[in-house]
Amino acid sequence: MTDSAPEAAAQAASAQAALADEFKTAFREHPAAVAIIAGRTATGPVGLTASSVSSVAVDPATLSFSVTRATGSAGGLLEAGDITVNLLSLDQETLALDFARSGAPRFTPEQGWEHFPTGEPYLPQARETLRCRIASTVKVGGSTIVLAEVLEVLHGSSTPPLMYQNRRFGRLDASSFDQ
């Protein structure tokens, strides 16, 4: 008699790995808007580029995003409590790259950051800036989903939004919406 438990476990692990690859491929092909999420900590401002921002509710106005770890910039944002979600415009690709790469320049005068009277950094040239307070977090696997209540909205640039699809930045084809 042979023990089939190790074989079954190996098959399950292989199936889970295949599903994970298919899941990543599905969302890699799904376009998403790009944002820089920023906050202020005791040691200074922190921020990161995200494509996981989504509206959740209108009353109270709530959005969500996810971070893949609770260290570095992501950990700083989770500690900050009050944050800004800066929805980027098409001409802010370089800024998105700066906040996506470890060690790249952040919060420089050339990037155009300003601060709310309450201290949170924001980009006045972003399409929209939402000042938020983190309401709750949920751990899911190696990620954390953040629910944030919107406290204030600033309208900025009318430039088309910066989009991210298949590991590249770009724009939506506006002509497909002209019906």
Coordinates of all heavy atoms in Angstrom, one line a residue, residues 34 87-96 125-127 157-164 169-172:
V34 N -4.0 54.8 -12.1 CA -2.8 54.9 -11.3 C -3.0 56.0 -10.3 O -3.4 57.1 -10.6 CB -1.6 55.1 -12.2 CG1 -0.3 55.1 -11.3 CG2 -1.5 54.0 -13.2
L87 N -5.0 60.7 -7.6 CA -5.3 60.0 -8.9 C -4.5 60.8 -10.0 O -4.8 61.9 -10.3 CB -6.8 60.0 -9.2 CG -7.7 59.4 -8.0 CD1 -9.1 59.5 -8.4 CD2 -7.3 58.0 -7.8
L88 N -3.6 60.1 -10.6 CA -2.7 60.7 -11.5 C -3.2 60.9 -12.9 O -4.1 60.2 -13.4 CB -1.4 59.8 -11.6 CG -0.6 59.6 -10.3 CD1 0.7 58.9 -10.6 CD2 -0.3 60.9 -9.6
S89 N -2.7 61.9 -13.6 CA -3.0 62.2 -15.0 C -1.9 61.7 -15.9 O -0.8 61.3 -15.4 CB -3.2 63.7 -15.2 OG -2.0 64.4 -14.8
L90 N -2.2 61.6 -17.1 CA -1.4 61.0 -18.1 C 0.0 61.5 -18.1 O 1.0 60.8 -18.4 CB -2.0 61.1 -19.5 CG -1.4 60.4 -20.7 CD1 -1.3 58.9 -20.4 CD2 -2.1 60.7 -22.0
D91 N 0.2 62.8 -17.8 CA 1.5 63.4 -17.9 C 2.3 63.2 -16.6 O 3.4 63.8 -16.4 CB 1.4 64.9 -18.2 CG 0.5 65.7 -17.2 OD1 0.0 65.0 -16.3 OD2 0.4 66.9 -17.4
Q92 N 1.9 62.3 -15.7 CA 2.6 62.1 -14.4 C 3.2 60.7 -14.4 O 3.5 60.2 -13.3 CB 1.6 62.3 -13.3 CG 1.2 63.8 -13.2 CD 0.2 64.0 -12.0 OE1 -0.8 63.4 -12.0 NE2 0.6 64.9 -11.2
E93 N 3.5 60.1 -15.5 CA 4.1 58.8 -15.6 C 5.5 58.7 -14.8 O 5.7 57.8 -14.1 CB 4.3 58.3 -17.0 CG 5.0 57.0 -17.1 CD 5.1 56.5 -18.6 OE1 4.4 57.0 -19.4 OE2 5.9 55.6 -18.8
T94 N 6.3 59.7 -15.0 CA 7.6 59.7 -14.3 C 7.4 59.7 -12.8 O 8.1 59.0 -12.1 CB 8.5 61.0 -14.8 OG1 8.7 60.9 -16.2 CG2 9.8 61.0 -14.1
L95 N 6.5 60.5 -12.3 CA 6.2 60.5 -10.9 C 5.7 59.2 -10.4 O 6.1 58.7 -9.4 CB 5.1 61.6 -10.6 CG 4.9 62.0 -9.2 CD1 6.2 62.5 -8.6 CD2 3.8 63.1 -9.2
A96 N 4.9 58.5 -11.2 CA 4.4 57.2 -10.8 C 5.5 56.2 -10.8 O 5.6 55.4 -9.8 CB 3.4 56.7 -11.9
Q125 N -1.4 69.0 -8.8 CA -1.6 68.8 -10.3 C -2.1 67.5 -10.6 O -2.3 67.1 -11.8 CB -0.2 69.1 -11.0 CG 0.8 68.0 -10.7 CD 1.7 68.3 -9.4 OE1 1.2 69.0 -8.5 NE2 2.9 67.8 -9.4
A126 N -2.5 66.7 -9.6 CA -3.1 65.4 -9.9 C -4.6 65.6 -10.4 O -5.1 66.7 -10.2 CB -3.2 64.5 -8.6
R127 N -5.1 64.6 -11.1 CA -6.5 64.8 -11.6 C -7.5 65.0 -10.4 O -8.3 65.9 -10.4 CB -7.0 63.5 -12.3 CG -6.4 63.4 -13.7 CD -6.9 62.2 -14.4 NE -8.4 62.1 -14.5 CZ -9.1 62.8 -15.3 NH1 -8.6 63.6 -16.2 NH2 -10.4 62.6 -15.3
S157 N -6.2 68.6 -12.3 CA -6.0 68.6 -13.8 C -7.1 67.9 -14.5 O -7.7 66.9 -14.1 CB -4.7 67.8 -14.1 OG -4.5 67.5 -15.4
S158 N -7.4 68.4 -15.7 CA -8.4 67.8 -16.6 C -7.7 66.9 -17.7 O -8.4 66.4 -18.6 CB -9.2 68.8 -17.3 OG -8.4 69.7 -18.1
T159 N -6.4 66.7 -17.5 CA -5.7 65.8 -18.4 C -6.2 64.4 -18.2 O -6.6 64.0 -17.1 CB -4.2 65.9 -18.1 OG1 -3.7 67.2 -18.2 CG2 -3.3 65.0 -19.0
P160 N -6.3 63.6 -19.3 CA -6.8 62.2 -19.1 C -6.0 61.4 -18.1 O -4.8 61.7 -17.8 CB -6.5 61.6 -20.5 CG -6.5 62.8 -21.5 CD -5.9 63.9 -20.7
P161 N -6.6 60.4 -17.5 CA -6.0 59.7 -16.4 C -4.8 58.8 -16.9 O -4.8 58.3 -18.0 CB -7.1 58.8 -15.9 CG -8.1 58.7 -17.0 CD -8.0 59.9 -17.8
L162 N -3.9 58.6 -16.0 CA -2.8 57.6 -16.3 C -3.3 56.2 -16.0 O -3.9 56.0 -15.0 CB -1.6 58.0 -15.4 CG -0.3 57.1 -15.6 CD1 0.2 57.2 -17.0 CD2 0.7 57.4 -14.6
M163 N -3.1 55.3 -17.0 CA -3.6 54.0 -16.8 C -2.4 53.0 -16.8 O -1.3 53.4 -17.3 CB -4.5 53.6 -18.0 CG -5.7 54.5 -18.1 SD -6.8 54.5 -16.7 CE -7.5 52.9 -16.8
Y164 N -2.7 51.8 -16.3 CA -1.6 50.8 -16.2 C -2.2 49.5 -16.7 O -3.3 49.1 -16.2 CB -1.2 50.7 -14.8 CG 0.0 49.8 -14.6 CD1 1.3 50.2 -15.0 CD2 -0.1 48.5 -14.0 CE1 2.4 49.4 -14.8 CE2 1.0 47.7 -13.8 CZ 2.3 48.1 -14.2 OH 3.4 47.3 -14.0
F169 N 2.5 51.9 -18.7 CA 1.6 53.0 -18.5 C 1.1 53.4 -19.9 O 1.7 53.3 -20.9 CB 2.4 54.2 -17.9 CG 2.8 53.9 -16.5 CD1 4.1 53.6 -16.1 CD2 1.8 53.9 -15.4 CE1 4.5 53.4 -14.8 CE2 2.2 53.7 -14.1 CZ 3.5 53.4 -13.8
G170 N -0.1 54.0 -19.8 CA -0.7 54.5 -21.1 C -2.0 55.3 -20.8 O -2.2 55.7 -19.7
R171 N -2.9 55.3 -21.8 CA -4.1 56.0 -21.7 C -5.2 55.2 -22.3 O -5.0 54.3 -23.1 CB -4.0 57.4 -22.3 CG -3.9 57.3 -23.9 CD -3.8 58.7 -24.5 NE -5.0 59.3 -24.5 CZ -5.2 60.6 -24.7 NH1 -4.1 61.4 -24.9 NH2 -6.3 61.2 -24.7
L172 N -6.5 55.5 -21.9 CA -7.6 54.9 -22.5 C -7.8 55.6 -23.9 O -7.5 56.8 -24.0 CB -8.9 55.2 -21.7 CG -9.0 54.4 -20.4 CD1 -10.2 54.8 -19.6 CD2 -9.0 52.9 -20.7

